[in-house]
Amino acid sequence: MSNIDFDLVQNLYKQFSNSAPAKESKAEDVITPMPFHMANEDMRREMWTETGNLLLQQGAVAAFTLAGGQGSRLGFDGPKGAYDFGLPSKATLFRMQARRLMNLGAKAGKPVPWAIMTSPLNHAETIHHFEDHSFFGYNRDYIRFFDQGMLCALKPDGTPLQDENGNYVEAPDGNGGCFRALAMSGTLAWFVEKGVRFVFLCNVDNALVKMCDPTFIGALASNGLLPCAAKVVHKKNAQEKVGIFAYKNKKPTVLEYSDISDELRNKTLEDGSLEFDGGNTGMYAFRMDALRKISTQELPWHVARKTVNGVENCWKFEQFLLDAFPFLGKILPYGVEREDEFAPVKNATGSDSPESARKMLGTLHRYWLEQAKVNVKPGKLYEISPRLTYGGENLSQEVFDRELGRGIFEFDA
Ligand code: UTP
């Protein structure tokens, strides 16, 4: 029997068809910048790392990966996490996340609980990917999969869209559905049972993601007043089309490119840096009580008019994770270097593609080796297994000589 929520989609249709297209920002909104500091320049950094490591030892930190998207821009026929983006080791995005968490878990002496949100469209394939690879060696008691909600698409006249076999055409309810799905699937309760107090939440597609980064977790934990933190990067330039953290009517929010005027977008501080900076990277840390709070909130719905199953101008409804931030009232923007932590795989070619992610990872790992005074070959890039290092530590010429071709690989740009 179908459990499609027709009432919800019909109500959304009424709401959106009776009003002018919703504008994300109105003229009367007061938009102010959200300044941030780079974490690697902060004197409290070591203290944060120690705090984060202590929390990991206590089993108080979990990871939560959003993997319910359809990855349409990449055009890969399968779950994006199962995508091998051409590294010498053939590591998939899921494998990299798993192995980085295992590195942390081994150091902490406790596995890190890991929740992965899929959608009904890719759930079975995701599980197969993990099964085919013996869960990458991850402790099965500490990994949990659940799928997000789906909503039926509507035809232009507001009636439910059906395919040629008469089945309703559904699509995932957006990454904002993650909070509801986390609670409804029992995963929030699972976190509580495991003693989790902080949750690192990330997209599936960032090849450089520092899963459960202890320094980041420690920074949030050290500020008792803050419900959550977000990693941000400097914008490449004023025109870069990336969401930025700012305040709207004094509440933290992420502004899309079109949400701010040209004038604000180009505004600079005395030192020439952009006033509206702080690009969203999709890496966040939440206190458990903040997650609990959002999971009971009704986030706003957004509508997209799209061609679905060959029918033009259909209605699709989604919730966005970013709409959670105004509810939380406060946030810690945590500045990180793009080249150290942010290589998203979104597009098939060009920027944010498998090629750019491979190059960024290869360049970063080469830099780690150089820092460890290893003799690397001119012009070569390197891939280092997360079995050997989490963020560049524990590397030496001896490790390099022993691991080349096993846990360290050389490749061309
Ligand atoms: P994106 O917005 O980049 O979407 O998702 P996508 O599905 O990966 O790619 P396109 O836009 O179809 O090309 C950001 C993160 O949110 C997750 C994605 O899996 C990704 O990790 N997501 C997105 C969900 O978990 N559920 C959704 O309904 C949408």
Side-chain angles (χ1 to χ4, degrees), residues 96 99-100 102-104 106-107 384-390 393-395 399 402-409:
M96 289 200 303
R99 294 280 163 84
R100 286 176 197 157
M102 286 165 67
N103 179 307
L104 282 188
K107 280 186 195 131
I384 309 174
S385 162
R387 172 172 64 78
L388 302 174
T389 188
Y390 173 82
E393 74 291 352
N394 298 334
L395 297 172
V399 171
R402 190 186 67 222
E403 295 287 343
L404 193 62
R406 292 153 47 127
I408 300 180
F409 305 93

Side-chain angles (χ1 to χ4, degrees), residues 362-400:
T363 308
L364 176 67
H365 289 195
R366 179 191 166 93
Y367 172 74
W368 289 350
L369 291 169
E370 285 169 349
Q371 292 300 102
K373 311 243 174 319
V374 173
N375 294 318
V376 287
K377 283 199 193 143
K380 291 284 180 190
L381 300 182
Y382 291 86
E383 178 194 359
I384 309 174
S385 162
R387 172 172 64 78
L388 302 174
T389 188
Y390 173 82
E393 74 291 352
N394 298 334
L395 297 172
S396 62
Q397 187 67 48
E398 193 192 330
V399 171
F400 181 80

Side-chain angles (χ1 to χ4, degrees), residues 64-69 71 79-83 92-97 114 116-117 122 126 130 201-209 211 282 343-346:
F64 179 13
T65 301
L66 303 184
K80 213 196 247 186
Y83 184 65
T92 62
L93 291 160
F94 276 137
R95 179 169 118 186
M96 289 200 303
Q97 294 203 352
W114 185 20
I116 298 172
M117 185 180 82
N122 67 15
T126 302
F130 276 83
L201 193 161
C202 64
N203 293 341
V204 70
D205 54 15
N206 176 4
L208 294 184
V209 60
M211 300 295 288
V345 180
K346 298 280 183 199

Side-chain angles (χ1 to χ4, degrees), residues 117-158:
M117 185 180 82
T118 62
S119 91
L121 301 180
N122 67 15
H123 189 83
E125 273 185 281
T126 302
I127 305 282
H128 283 153
H129 178 66
F130 276 83
E131 282 172 351
D132 285 351
H133 296 90
S134 309
F135 291 80
F136 307 109
Y138 215 87
N139 184 326
R140 286 290 286 115
D141 293 337
Y142 284 80
I143 186 166
R144 196 176 156 111
F145 300 85
F146 63 95
D147 51 17
Q148 68 178 107
M150 300 279 276
L151 276 186
C152 183
L154 300 180
K155 289 194 274 192
D157 65 0

Side-chain angles (χ1 to χ4, degrees), residues 15-311:
Q15 181 190 323
F16 284 104
S17 56
N18 288 334
S19 58
K23 279 195 78 174
E24 301 299 339
S25 291
K26 304 183 206 75
E28 63 272 24
D29 285 333
V30 180
I31 308 277
T32 44
M34 184 186 287
F36 63 93
H37 296 292
M38 296 305 282
N40 59 7
E41 291 165 5
D42 200 300
M43 281 165 47
R44 295 165 294 179
R45 196 179 157 76
E46 277 181 25
M47 182 195 77
W48 290 341
T49 310
E50 276 168 30
T51 306
N53 283 330
L54 208 61
L55 287 164
L56 281 157
Q57 285 159 27
Q58 293 169 357
V61 185
F64 179 13
T65 301
L66 303 184
Q70 293 176 284
S72 38
R73 283 170 286 173
L74 182 62
F76 168 61
D77 185 24
K80 213 196 247 186
Y83 184 65
D84 155 11
F85 65 103
L87 286 173
S89 73
K90 301 200 172 307
T92 62
L93 291 160
F94 276 137
R95 179 169 118 186
M96 289 200 303
Q97 294 203 352
R99 294 280 163 84
R100 286 176 197 157
L101 287 171
M102 286 165 67
N103 179 307
L104 282 188
K107 280 186 195 131
K110 253 200 174 137
V112 181
W114 185 20
I116 298 172
M117 185 180 82
T118 62
S119 91
L121 301 180
N122 67 15
H123 189 83
E125 273 185 281
T126 302
I127 305 282
H128 283 153
H129 178 66
F130 276 83
E131 282 172 351
D132 285 351
H133 296 90
S134 309
F135 291 80
F136 307 109
Y138 215 87
N139 184 326
R140 286 290 286 115
D141 293 337
Y142 284 80
I143 186 166
R144 196 176 156 111
F145 300 85
F146 63 95
D147 51 17
Q148 68 178 107
M150 300 279 276
L151 276 186
C152 183
L154 300 180
K155 289 194 274 192
D157 65 0
T159 55
L161 180 68
Q162 288 168 287
D163 65 16
E164 46 291 352
N165 300 319
N167 300 315
Y168 293 106
V169 179
E170 294 183 278
D173 58 6
N175 59 8
C178 70
F179 303 110
R180 185 173 45 246
L182 186 74
M184 302 282 281
S185 62
T187 310
L188 201 55
W190 181 70
F191 280 163
V192 173
E193 275 164 33
K194 293 257 183 258
V196 171
R197 289 190 281 137
F198 295 89
V199 176
F200 176 82
L201 193 161
C202 64
N203 293 341
V204 70
D205 54 15
N206 176 4
L208 294 184
V209 60
K210 292 178 83 172
M211 300 295 288
C212 293
D213 177 1
T215 317
F216 181 50
I217 298 293
L220 175 63
S222 305
N223 191 330
L225 295 174
L226 292 170
C228 66
K231 287 195 175 182
V232 296
V233 290
H234 284 301
K235 280 185 78 168
K236 284 183 190 156
N237 53 56
Q239 305 316 321
E240 192 193 2
K241 289 204 163 99
V242 61
I244 49 164
F245 275 92
Y247 293 99
K248 190 195 272 186
N249 306 323
K250 299 202 176 142
K251 290 190 177 154
T253 192
V254 177
L255 298 175
E256 292 304 333
Y257 185 80
S258 54
D259 285 338
I260 51 172
S261 62
D262 265 346
E263 190 195 337
L264 287 187
R265 198 179 298 130
N266 288 301
K267 219 167 158 194
T268 50
L269 296 166
E270 267 176 18
D271 64 1
S273 61
L274 290 172
E275 197 169 325
F276 285 87
D277 201 358
N280 179 29
T281 63
M283 293 183 273
Y284 318 103
F286 292 89
R287 284 180 193 275
M288 274 293 281
D289 43 357
L291 274 186
R292 231 182 259 136
K293 182 175 163 188
I294 317 169
S295 67
T296 59
Q297 296 279 354
E298 178 72 0
L299 296 182
W301 287 94
H302 299 259
V303 66
R305 304 296 304 268
K306 283 188 178 167
T307 300
V308 184
N309 263 35
V311 182

